[in-house]
Amino acid sequence: FSNLTARENIMVGLLYGASPMWDKNAASRKADEVLDFVGLTGQAERQVSNLNLMERKIVELARALATQPRLL
């Protein structure tokens, strides 16, 4: 979702995914945790459209990792 920030992109998967069990505050904290894990902490408030291609791909991966899938 290029019109959202990196944090909001990750939160979308947590709030509206297959098994939404997060409130907005918990989803924001989890998004920050995952952004830290993938090394994009400083990019949390940037819109995805303003990130370079590699950072966009990392945000996509972070969105998938945030839901803690058994298989990726």
Side-chain angles (χ1 to χ4, degrees):
F1 305 102
S2 62
N3 60 324
L4 301 176
T5 66
R7 177 184 292 118
E8 291 168 340
N9 248 281
I10 296 167
M11 288 174 61
V12 164
L14 296 170
L15 295 171
Y16 307 109
S19 59
M21 59 183 148
W22 299 83
D23 64 44
K24 203 168 191 174
N25 291 329
S28 180
R29 286 192 303 273
K30 181 65 175 180
D32 288 338
E33 179 184 314
V34 175
L35 283 167
D36 184 48
F37 178 75
V38 297
L40 287 181
T41 304
Q43 309 298 344
E45 293 302 318
R46 289 186 64 197
Q47 283 193 326
V48 172
S49 60
N50 294 331
L51 299 175
N52 67 41
L53 183 59
M54 183 179 193
E55 291 169 333
R56 290 179 194 183
K57 296 298 180 187
I58 293 171
V59 169
E60 291 174 11
L61 177 62
R63 186 173 56 233
L65 290 173
T67 60
Q68 300 174 327
R70 290 189 216 179
L71 180 64
L72 181 63

